[in-house]
Amino acid sequence: MTGNSINFWNTYGQFDAATLRALHADLPSGALTTAQRLASNHPNTTAVALTLPDDADVLSTAISNTDIIISLLPYVYHPTIIQAAITHHKPVVTTSYISPSLWALHDQARAAGITVLNEIGLGPGIDHLYAMKTIHEVHSSGGKVRSFESWCGAVPAPENADNPLGYKFSWSPRGVLLALLNEGRWYWENKVGVRERELMRSARVVDVDGFGLGEVLQGVEMVGLPNRNATGFRDFYGIPEARDVFRGTLRYKGFPGVVGALVEIGYFGIEEIPVLRDDDEGISWLELTGLLVGICMEERTDEVVRDAVVRTVACFIDDEEEVERVVKGLEWIGLFDAETVVDGRGTPLDTLCALLERRMAYEPGERDMIILQHVFGIERADGSMEKRTSTLVEYGEPLAEESRSAIAKLVGLPCAVGVLAVLEGRISQKGMVAPWSTPEIAALLREELKGQFGIELEERVVG
């Protein structure tokens, strides 16, 4: 790479649970020390700690002294970064969706003559590259895309999916959980379907055998959830003829019920409560669960709290065996523990995340797995129909020092390819740009990933 880059990254998305706890206890100095250690392995790299929005001057200076900015912060901070980049006429690359607040900066970025390349990770990212490939091929041959369904899951490899949720965290638990509260929106039979803040109730069993994934998953059942607002991709992808446009998240069966219960109980709450403050004497997990489901202090016995939780779960699950399985999952997490004092972090969500960091971390020797698949319903030029899939299954390296997870590889390498393409002028479009902006941009990034790193989706006609 020619030139210098500055990489803004989120401490809580990068390290294992032990490191996270150390950083939490000593921010920002602990984070800076860790960043300095990582930076010491790379020439022309300097670690700087800053807090947004307080350190605006430090941010501005850092951006002014570089050639390109890579922002891996939570999406809410991207407007601040990009506004400073506009001021100093510096290009930016992110792996996040283009939010409304970023679209609001599109004209300013274009007037400043800078490229802001977004959505170049895994999902969003690699998914766009192969959606655009098939769509461009279909349209070039006179055909039409009548349906588009896309699924992506970052999960433990089947042999390591050994807890009631079938899930382990390879990045920030808070980010994973909050993403589950996003509204789901899609086209089905040319009508808009919507699910607001109750995505777990939209979970449905996914036919992995029909996807050609039965052998990979070794009989493990998968479920799918709506992934954000998919309706815009009918326009972004240039498929106005499509009656169905759906983007979903894959998880192992068991995940939606337990997470849905956590939501209903109140563990996704983001408002501070007194008993979770640092200066409070503390309560047990059983007492906290009882508090959240509305049981008064004198009655927070194991039996009373469990009964209240069962009633809460039964409000959205009508199968008694499934309710029992979900409650056992909550017990495995530790929410009925009457002996352990809660490590309060201010809010129920942050307190829960601190617990999940410990309970649901990858252990040495375990690995993660990525599944990405598109399913296209295609009307050929002659009017006949075709079903086509594009599939990627990637395993991470078994967890050890210096090992790389599948999620790190499939987010990091597309981002790196995008940075080089912008820095070297091969992507020159100004303003807010994504891999779906043009077929040419998608092809450039797709071919680079395949040629340099062997990252590609397997394409098949299946019907």
Side-chain angles (χ1 to χ4, degrees):
M1 178 186 293
T2 59
N4 300 315
S5 68
I6 183 169
N7 184 1
F8 294 103
W9 52 288
N10 177 18
T11 298
Y12 286 89
Q14 305 296 320
F15 305 113
D16 61 22
T19 306
L20 283 167
R21 289 193 293 275
L23 293 177
H24 187 277
D26 190 23
L27 284 173
S29 59
L32 178 58
T33 299
T34 302
Q36 287 171 334
R37 175 175 57 80
L38 294 172
S40 67
N41 297 322
H42 303 280
N44 303 318
T45 304
T46 302
V48 177
L50 58 86
T51 302
L52 295 179
D54 298 338
D55 295 334
D57 291 341
V58 179
L59 171 69
S60 181
T61 299
I63 285 178
S64 70
N65 291 326
T66 192
D67 297 301
I68 191 166
I69 297 97
I70 310 162
S71 181
L72 302 180
L73 294 172
Y75 75 94
V76 294
Y77 295 110
H78 291 328
T80 301
I81 300 294
I82 292 170
Q83 190 67 70
I86 290 171
T87 299
H88 295 288
H89 301 272
K90 306 293 184 180
V92 182
V93 176
T94 86
T95 59
S96 301
Y97 289 99
I98 304 178
S99 65
S101 57
L102 291 196
W103 279 122
L105 296 174
H106 174 67
D107 289 340
Q108 292 182 47
R110 190 164 52 182
I114 67 169
T115 299
V116 183
L117 176 62
N118 303 274
E119 305 191 21
I120 184 56
L122 168 62
I126 296 174
D127 55 349
H128 296 330
L129 305 183
Y130 280 83
M132 291 294 289
K133 179 179 185 295
T134 297
I135 291 166
H136 184 60
E137 290 172 353
V138 170
H139 286 170
S140 296
S141 64
K144 297 178 180 179
V145 176
R146 291 303 187 185
S147 66
F148 172 76
E149 192 171 334
S150 179
W151 295 95
C152 188
V155 295
E159 69 271 17
N160 299 134
D162 54 5
N163 62 50
L165 285 84
Y167 193 80
K168 295 182 180 181
F169 292 99
S170 54
W171 63 292
S172 163
R174 197 177 203 274
V176 171
L177 297 180
L178 283 179
L180 300 173
L181 296 181
N182 289 318
E183 175 188 80
R185 190 178 288 261
W186 59 91
Y187 283 112
W188 206 257
E189 296 294 330
N190 231 19
K191 297 179 180 178
V192 176
V194 181
R195 173 65 75 176
E196 298 181 1
R197 295 184 64 85
E198 295 179 338
L199 293 184
M200 299 307 105
R201 300 192 186 192
S202 296
R204 59 185 173 91
V205 175
V206 174
D207 179 13
V208 294
D209 289 323
F211 280 9
L213 298 172
E215 182 177 345
V216 172
L217 295 173
Q218 304 169 10
V220 178
E221 288 189 278
M222 301 291 287
V223 294
L225 316 164
N227 181 12
R228 300 177 181 259
N229 185 352
T231 59
F233 287 96
R234 187 156 73 171
D235 293 328
F236 297 154
Y237 287 168
I239 48 173
E241 72 274 19
R243 294 178 58 82
D244 305 334
V245 178
F246 182 89
R247 288 164 56 87
T249 299
L250 288 175
R251 293 288 185 262
Y252 290 118
K253 186 178 180 180
F255 181 91
V258 177
V259 172
L262 292 171
V263 173
E264 296 295 331
I265 291 169
Y267 271 106
F268 275 48
I270 57 174
E271 298 294 329
E272 288 200 0
I273 58 178
V275 296
L276 297 180
R277 293 174 183 161
D278 291 339
D279 58 354
D280 193 89
E281 294 182 0
I283 59 175
S284 71
W285 282 101
L286 177 68
E287 291 172 319
L288 176 59
T289 301
L291 171 65
L292 293 176
V293 294
I295 305 300
C296 63
M297 184 179 299
E298 307 80 52
E299 297 181 5
R300 291 175 196 162
T301 64
D302 183 271
E303 182 179 359
V304 171
V305 172
R306 283 177 185 269
D307 285 347
V309 168
V310 167
R311 291 193 300 272
T312 299
V313 175
C315 289
F316 70 98
I317 297 177
D318 57 10
D319 181 279
E320 289 187 12
E321 289 187 6
E322 181 65 9
V323 170
E324 183 179 355
R325 194 200 61 75
V326 168
V327 173
K328 287 183 178 178
L330 299 174
E331 182 175 26
W332 176 86
I333 291 173
L335 303 189
F336 301 119
D337 185 345
E339 303 298 326
T340 302
V341 175
V342 171
D343 178 12
R345 301 295 177 92
T347 72
L349 178 63
D350 291 311
T351 300
L352 174 66
C353 287
L355 175 63
L356 296 183
E357 286 170 7
R358 298 189 294 272
R359 294 291 284 143
M360 297 175 65
Y362 280 90
E363 298 294 333
E366 296 183 340
R367 59 181 183 163
D368 68 333
M369 179 179 70
I370 301 296
I371 300 172
L372 170 62
Q373 185 167 73
H374 299 324
V375 183
F376 298 89
I378 297 166
E379 181 181 339
R380 301 188 185 102
D382 63 5
S384 61
M385 299 301 294
E386 172 187 310
K387 182 178 179 181
R388 193 183 305 182
T389 62
S390 301
T391 307
L392 172 66
V393 178
E394 180 84 22
Y395 292 94
E397 299 167 1
L399 182 64
E401 188 174 356
E402 305 297 330
S403 65
R404 182 170 63 180
S405 66
I407 189 68
K409 174 182 177 180
L410 296 182
V411 173
L413 290 179
C415 180
V417 165
V419 169
L420 282 171
V422 172
L423 189 60
E424 296 171 354
R426 290 178 289 130
I427 295 178
S428 58
Q429 187 172 334
K430 307 306 178 185
M432 298 301 143
V433 182
W436 43 259
S437 295
T438 69
E440 292 76 20
I441 290 175
L444 184 159
L445 298 170
R446 183 174 61 246
E447 291 166 7
E448 190 96 353
L449 281 173
K450 178 181 176 180
Q452 289 205 31
F453 304 108
I455 297 174
E456 63 177 321
L457 272 62
E458 178 185 350
E459 299 169 290
R460 298 170 55 198
V461 176
V462 296

